């Protein structure tokens, strides 16, 4: 994982650690309600239209998504923290299936944190991860990648 942070910015370090803890507890350990209560402010604002506002709603949403998904996990590839903001580049795997070959969903998350280190606002961009042979299954099958850069 690539971590970009000012080692003298204690607030940024705490916020980065809290977001990493949230991902791990929510998805990797399968405890979304506990993670939302611990790492999100109750009035958490969600800018993804698929998920309602509020920490409780986020916990319930991910509880439904990962229920029964034994392979559900998130891999954090990059994380940047500055002051009250944390940006991360992640791969959410097996959120919607338990296929061992699942390539996942790439996410770029942006969190705004409060003075207690809890997330108060969140924005994201999501994209299905393809393969070099089939880079855009959401668009059409077997569309080869136009470049070798990959998602991560």
């Amino acid at each position: 994982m690539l971590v970009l942070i000012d080692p003298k910015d204690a607030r940024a370090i705490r916020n980065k650690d809290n977001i990493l803890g949230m991902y791990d507890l929510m998805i990797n350990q399968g405890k979304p309600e506990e993670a939302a209560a611990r790492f999100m402010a109750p009035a958490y604002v969600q800018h993804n239209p698929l998920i309602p506002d509020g920490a409780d709603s986020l916990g319930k949403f991910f509880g439904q998504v990962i229920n029964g998904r034994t392979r559900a996990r998130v891999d954090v590839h990059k994380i940047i923290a500055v002051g009250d903001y944390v940006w991360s580049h992640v791969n959410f795997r097996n959120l919607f299936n338990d296929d061992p070959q699942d390539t996942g969903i790439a996410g770029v998350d942006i969190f705004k944190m409060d003075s207690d280190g809890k997330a108060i606002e969140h924005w994201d961009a999501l994209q299905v991860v393809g393969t070099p042979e089939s880079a855009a299954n959401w668009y059409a099958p077997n569309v080869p990648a136009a470049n070798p850069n990959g998602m991560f």
Side-chain angles (χ1 to χ4, degrees), residues 62-123:
F62 273 96
Q64 292 171 341
V65 168
I66 66 170
N67 183 29
R69 305 275 186 252
T70 59
R71 290 177 170 36
R73 72 183 189 280
V74 60
D75 299 319
V76 181
H77 291 273
K78 296 175 181 87
I79 192 159
I80 303 166
V82 177
D84 292 333
Y85 288 88
V86 178
W87 297 263
S88 60
H89 187 204
V90 301
N91 188 359
F92 297 104
R93 297 203 178 211
N94 294 106
L95 293 187
F96 302 107
N97 63 61
D98 245 352
D99 178 357
Q101 301 301 314
D102 181 49
T103 54
I105 299 169
V108 175
D109 284 330
I110 303 169
F111 294 93
K112 182 176 182 185
M113 312 296 279
D114 67 11
S115 60
D116 295 323
K118 292 194 174 209
I120 57 174
E121 204 161 352
H122 172 259
W123 300 261

Side-chain angles (χ1 to χ4, degrees), residues 18-30:
N18 283 354
I19 293 302
L20 290 174
M22 179 273 303
Y23 285 135
D24 185 54
L25 188 60
M26 184 172 286
I27 299 172
N28 297 342
Q29 294 182 41

